[in-house]
Amino acid sequence: MGFPWLTTVGAVPLVGSVVVAVLPRGADRLARRVALTFALAAVALLAVAATGFRAGEPGFQLAEQHPWIPRFGISYGLGVDGVGLTMVALTAVLTPIVIAASASTGRGFLALALALETAAIGAFAATDVFLFYVLFEAMLVPMYFLIGRYGGRSRSAAAMKFLLYSLAGGLLMLVAVIGLYVVSAQQLPQGTFDFPTLAAAVRDGTLRLDPVTERLLFAGFFVAFAIKAPLWPLHSWLPSAVTESTPGAAVLLVGILDKVGTFGMLRYCLSLFPEASEFFTPLVVVLSVIGIGYGALVAIGQTEIMRLIAYTSLSHFGFITIGVFAMTPQSQAGAAFYMVSHGLSIAALFLIAGFLISRRGSDLIADYGGVQQLAPVLAGTFLFAGLATLALPGLSGFVAEFLVLVGTFTAYPAAAVIAAGGVVLAAVYVLWLYQRTMTGDLRPGNEGVTDLRAGERWVIAPLLALILGLGLYPEPVLDVIEPVVAGTVQQTGVATPPEAR
């Protein structure tokens, strides 16, 4: 079994969270340094662990498994495939950037951010369905307090709305998890929550679900994931949660936590319920297309910067879900790559917007204008991050959207054509936002806006470098993703039209 790399990578931020939490009051600068040290240590450990990962090898790697509640087939099981590894890496990279960018927050915020990192890493690496559910729900606790304690004026209402939506989805998922165990206990030698065992049993026909049961179990998982993602029309908690969050908390929410939803669709829904996935695919494709257009159109009409960015994410999550459920190798590879690309670009957008808002003291777009005259670096980095979200060739977003649209077109051409309109709308909301805030005459009240400081530039630089690097050379990520999605497509091949196989 070897060294428990994934446990160690996940435990380091948790230890850091405890250390930061017990530091004396007023030691915020020390707390930030300690938190950043632990977060960077997790990055270093993951980098070492990743050297032992072999792309293309079947099954989960860096695996650990220990009995937890043997009577019910529950184990502490961790392991990553290519998609899981990239999502763990995204989590490990974004957390120290958020910590470095959150200079004005207290030690409580830092402790919660590290605790959230541990839960997210565990969710992406879990190979036991029950363990995944526990971590899926555990992420809500630090995120609730990150919004409710450190957010804006309406933070309590936003945090409660986020929590209630998430708990409702989690309750449905719990019922489905229990139902899956009951079915496995009836048809397998022993009931189990072990995902590789369940997926293999579904694949070889040892575990056969009648259509009604499979569709109900699929719905339990899918609705929970669709709320988390979020997918239209289960998205209404997102704008208020983002608007009331600090920029760092918004990055953790949309860049990491929400990705657990789309990750869960790709791993659990398709592998465990392939026939139900086929049955619901037309519905999911329609909802995704609506989400792409709705999110983009509503974003265009927003008057607040953070709320506008929140609605752009709704549109982007539509691209991810349509890529997952188009069920072609290209679309699913694009969806997985999209999760990484969106995590980077949305982090850059939120943080740069946060730097801008902190200087002016206003989130209203109408209060800005001509900012590039005083802050050219801030304006340039904001434009760069915005262009990444509208899929400019040479940046990571282009690779993701191109793969999603090409793969979707082979299976559902009409949906792909309509979804492509979202790219045009993205250009409208990104460039219009930039024009209204950064160009033109300097509006009164913006005289005190200063350019990015050295520390802020260092925070943003890794994100921009990764966006550009993955746009020019995406092969390292695609090489580890593609074998996984090829296996998923094979498992759910019944849902793929012959011409798309």
Side-chain angles (χ1 to χ4, degrees), residues 42-324:
V43 176
L45 285 169
L46 180 62
V48 174
T51 61
F53 186 88
R54 298 291 177 264
E57 287 190 8
F60 291 94
Q61 301 181 48
L62 308 176
E64 312 166 32
Q65 187 156 14
H66 308 281
W68 182 13
I69 311 176
R71 177 176 297 181
F72 297 106
I74 300 174
S75 65
Y76 173 79
L78 299 178
V80 288
D81 54 18
V83 176
L85 180 63
T86 57
M87 297 314 299
V88 170
L90 177 67
T91 303
V93 167
L94 290 184
T95 303
I97 290 175
V98 167
I99 290 172
S102 303
S104 60
T105 56
R107 59 191 177 92
F109 180 95
L110 303 175
L112 290 168
L114 289 170
L116 180 62
E117 179 183 9
T118 292
I121 289 174
F124 289 128
T127 57
D128 182 276
V129 178
F130 186 82
L131 176 63
F132 171 80
Y133 169 77
V134 170
L135 294 167
F136 182 85
E137 293 291 88
M139 290 186 294
L140 302 180
V141 178
M143 196 69 246
Y144 171 80
F145 286 106
L146 285 170
I147 300 171
R149 183 173 180 182
Y150 298 97
R153 262 186 264 180
S154 302
R155 58 185 181 272
S156 296
M160 183 58 66
K161 190 173 185 180
F162 159 77
L163 185 65
L164 291 176
Y165 265 78
S166 300
L167 288 176
L171 181 61
L172 291 175
M173 184 176 171
L174 176 60
V175 174
V177 167
I178 295 173
L180 182 63
Y181 172 80
V182 171
V183 173
S184 72
Q186 293 172 344
Q187 299 190 26
L188 300 179
Q190 181 180 359
T192 183
F193 289 99
D194 183 61
F195 173 76
T197 300
L198 292 168
V202 171
R203 184 168 54 250
D204 63 24
T206 306
L207 182 61
R208 292 182 176 274
L209 303 176
D210 68 82
V212 174
T213 300
E214 182 173 351
R215 292 170 190 175
L216 289 174
L217 295 179
F218 170 92
F221 277 84
F222 178 80
V223 171
F225 295 146
I227 291 173
K228 185 79 75 178
L231 178 66
W232 185 91
L234 302 174
H235 67 282
S236 62
W237 62 267
L238 178 66
S240 58
V242 167
T243 304
E244 297 303 325
S245 295
T246 64
V251 172
L252 297 175
L253 174 63
V254 182
I256 297 175
L257 187 142
D258 288 358
K259 299 299 186 298
V260 178
T262 48
F263 170 83
M265 293 177 190
L266 182 60
R267 171 171 290 181
Y268 294 98
C269 289
L270 302 191
S271 296
L272 297 179
F273 316 110
E275 294 184 6
S277 298
E278 178 194 18
F279 178 80
F280 285 108
T281 286
L283 174 62
V284 177
V285 168
V286 170
L287 294 179
S288 300
V289 170
I290 294 174
I292 291 169
Y294 176 85
L297 289 171
V298 176
I300 293 172
Q302 294 305 302
T303 60
E304 300 172 3
I305 297 174
M306 296 295 279
R307 186 173 288 268
L308 185 152
I309 299 174
Y311 276 108
T312 70
S313 292
L314 175 62
S315 182
H316 291 304
F317 279 116
F319 278 104
I320 297 174
T321 52
I322 199 173
V324 170

Side-chain angles (χ1 to χ4, degrees), residues 445-459:
N446 291 315
E447 297 83 2
V449 174
T450 58
D451 212 346
L452 294 182
R453 295 182 285 272
E456 294 168 337
R457 297 183 190 191
W458 279 108
V459 167

